[in-house]
């Protein structure tokens, strides 16, 4: 079967929803209760709870019951894993572009640098006809 | 309604599948045809085509028909957007930890450094009752 890191599936799935991203943006500023997370979002408390459950399952959010309140906080580790995966892909592309740039530079240099053969043999027909 | 960047929804959704991430890893090394993308994956060509369509819809992959072959290449721009969103959240958390560290350092300093008020007025009731 596919050789994959299961965590990244749930992390990217959790990040694919705009409401959940807004919750993470809020939690980036500090812990918040589930109801506080929902205050700025146009959704029911039940929907907020469901989103928090998805975030918790992905590991992006940790929750803790304090009395009758469930407090949520951001866990940066899965964010770092996702960021690392993405940046590694970007690095691949940049290395490919570097290799292409290097190849083009080398090719240009070979074409530009006049050789003995080039100096003596450059457009001989033109020299003869001018 | 929610104020969100629609592209990130489809980018993170595309990244949430291990097969699609493997395709992106392959494309990070250079362009490949749709059938080449499928060679190392345990799925039908029809499934590969569907995954490529999801990747193309998210903007992560560009395709071009060359004769009877559809060539795919990685587009780094959406990867950069996703990376930026994640790193901004991480930066928020780091700043919060910095603030917490600063607060704790300041608190420790205030507690350690004796002041006139502290020396004369600390726990006056205890001093009176002792």
């Amino acid at each position: 079967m596919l050789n994959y890191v299961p965590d990244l599936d749930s992390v990217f799935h959790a990040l694919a929803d705009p409401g959940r991203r807004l919750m993470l943006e809020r939690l980036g500023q500090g812990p918040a209760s589930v109801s506080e997370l929902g205050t700025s979002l146009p959704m029911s408390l039940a929907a907020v709870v469901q989103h928090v459950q998805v975030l918790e399952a992905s590991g992006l959010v940790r929750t803790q019951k304090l009395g009758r309140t469930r407090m949520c906080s951001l866990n940066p580790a899965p964010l770092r894993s996702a960021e690392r995966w993405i940046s590694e892909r970007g690095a691949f592309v940049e290395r490919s572009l570097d290799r292409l740039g290097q190849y083009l530079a080398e090719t240009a240099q070979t074409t530009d640098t006049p050789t003995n053969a080039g100096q003596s043999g450059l457009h001989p027909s033109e020299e003869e006809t001018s």
Side-chain angles (χ1 to χ4, degrees), chain A:
Chain A
M1 289 308 292
L2 296 179
N3 177 27
Y4 69 93
V5 184
D7 289 338
L8 283 181
D9 290 11
S10 58
V11 169
F12 285 127
H13 168 66
L15 293 174
D17 183 89
R20 289 197 288 268
R21 287 202 304 279
L22 282 174
M23 290 176 180
L24 292 173
E25 287 180 18
R26 166 62 192 84
L27 290 175
Q29 296 166 42
S33 68
V34 172
S35 55
E36 277 169 349
L37 280 184
T39 48
S40 58
L41 295 173
M43 58 178 76
S44 66
L45 185 61
V48 174
V49 168
Q50 281 189 327
H51 282 307
V52 168
Q53 284 171 345
V54 173
L55 289 168
E56 197 175 9
S58 73
L60 285 163
V61 163
R62 288 175 178 147
T63 75
Q64 192 182 6
K65 192 93 177 169
L66 292 176
R68 294 177 65 186
T69 308
R70 183 164 288 279
M71 291 300 291
C72 306
S73 59
L74 188 59
N75 179 21
L79 276 181
R80 291 275 163 261
S81 300
E83 190 179 15
R84 201 176 311 121
W85 188 91
I86 293 176
S87 68
E88 282 170 2
R89 300 292 81 67
F92 261 129
V93 175
E94 274 156 22
R95 276 202 298 277
S96 302
L97 291 174
D98 283 349
R99 279 199 297 272
L100 177 64
Q102 197 178 351
Y103 169 77
L104 291 174
E106 283 171 7
T107 310
Q109 210 169 27
T110 312
T111 317
D112 290 347
T113 309
T115 60
N116 287 338
Q119 279 174 321
S120 61
L122 194 65
H123 304 304
S125 58
E126 282 182 24
E127 284 173 8
E128 283 167 13
T129 53
S130 62

